[in-house]
Amino acid sequence: MIRDNIRKLLEELPPGVELVAAAKTRTPDEVLSALDAGVGIIGENYIQEAVEAAGVVGGRAKMHFIGHLQKNKVKRAVELFDMIETVDSLSLAQEIDKHCRRRGKVMSILIEINSGREAQKFGVFPEDAIELIKSISLLENVGIKGLMTMGPRFGSPEEARPYFIETKKLYDHIKVLDIPGVEMKSLSMGMSNSYQVAVEEGANIIRVGTMIFGEREG
Ligand SMILES: *Cc1c(COP(=O)(O)O)cnc(C)c1O
């Protein structure tokens, strides 16, 4: 079933759009099925689950961190992931930079935009993003590659569209600014219920869990 879901998704996606299998709460066996079906990127929200997933991934796919990263987990995250999609503060970026410097690594990151301007959500407000990106761009061991947004969690896919449009506008604007050391090439938007709208509005990374693995328990 996981294989069929992934095959369908991969056939449907336009060229240039990458699929992240959002694997939170899934077992290593489920992650393995996703890999066998041709998923190129595994997304993880929790370090502990990522350690288990990394065991079956074994370098066959990229690993993206898509959860909220606590400072005391940064060291492990730097070891495990190819990209951290959810950087929303200078202090978090500095912590990533510090651990990457020790490992001689440059971490690719996306800046998480709180496009819904929801107080309880993570991410930087769109109007504060450029200042944050300019400060992070001075760090040598992190590389900004683009933006990520969640959009509203509930509601119809159409309700997410304005948030995706706004994030794409910001992405294009930052690209034009041509800030030294900042690349705008990845735009991660859209989940199971909203990925089609996200792709229509310019996402080139989508993060899909439920549609691949089924409903999560609890
Ligand atoms: C869980 C999760 C997803 C996938 O959500 P689904 O609705 O299961 O597709 C995408 N992005 C993030 C950040 C997530 O935590």
Side-chain angles (χ1 to χ4, degrees):
M1 196 183 83
I2 291 174
R3 283 167 159 273
D4 292 339
N5 295 342
I6 288 177
R7 203 166 305 135
K8 255 184 254 159
L9 266 167
L10 290 176
E11 275 170 18
E12 182 188 336
L13 291 179
V17 178
E18 291 189 296
L19 174 64
V20 174
K24 60 174 172 280
T25 76
R26 313 301 177 174
T27 64
D29 266 356
E30 290 175 295
V31 172
L32 195 56
S33 302
L35 290 173
D36 288 343
V39 155
I41 308 172
I42 302 296
E44 292 287 353
N45 293 60
Y46 307 107
I47 299 296
Q48 197 47 51
E49 289 184 2
V51 172
E52 291 175 27
V56 298
V57 170
R60 270 210 286 161
K62 294 235 149 76
M63 304 255 303
H64 284 198
F65 187 78
I66 61 173
H68 176 64
L69 187 54
Q70 291 165 320
K71 301 242 165 65
N72 62 355
K73 301 278 169 66
V74 167
K75 183 169 181 286
R76 291 299 275 138
V78 160
E79 293 163 5
L80 287 163
F81 291 96
D82 301 289
M83 176 179 273
I84 296 173
E85 292 200 15
T86 48
V87 176
D88 63 357
S89 72
L90 178 59
S91 58
L92 177 58
Q94 284 169 329
E95 193 69 15
I96 295 169
D97 183 66
K98 182 179 86 184
H99 287 286
C100 282
R101 192 170 324 112
R102 287 179 188 162
R103 289 182 71 84
K105 174 171 179 171
V106 177
M107 178 63 76
S108 295
I109 65 168
L110 303 183
I111 303 300
E112 181 175 0
I113 306 297
N114 183 351
S115 54
R117 292 187 178 74
E118 291 167 83
Q120 76 282 15
K121 271 232 195 112
F122 300 114
V124 60
F125 281 6
E127 57 271 27
D128 299 327
I130 291 171
E131 200 186 306
L132 175 64
I133 286 171
K134 283 183 176 163
S135 350
I136 294 178
S137 74
L138 302 175
L139 304 173
E140 285 182 7
N141 292 72
V142 299
I144 298 174
K145 304 295 177 191
L147 306 182
M148 177 271 204
T149 199
M150 294 281 285
R153 260 276 184 197
F154 302 102
S156 76
E158 278 308 322
E159 283 171 63
R161 193 183 296 274
Y163 303 99
F164 294 158
I165 290 175
E166 178 172 7
T167 307
K168 174 63 159 65
K169 264 196 196 144
L170 180 62
Y171 173 87
D172 288 337
H173 177 57
I174 295 168
K175 197 183 271 188
V176 169
L177 291 180
D178 208 10
I179 302 163
V182 175
E183 280 182 277
M184 281 289 127
K185 61 177 190 183
S186 297
L187 182 56
S188 176
M189 312 193 289
M191 313 189 288
S192 290
N193 74 334
S194 60
Y195 74 91
Q196 283 157 322
V197 172
V199 169
E200 283 167 20
E201 300 305 340
N204 56 21
I205 298 178
I206 60 167
R207 310 174 309 270
V208 178
T210 309
M211 234 193 97
I212 290 174
F213 298 107
E215 291 294 334
R216 279 180 294 275
E217 298 185 9

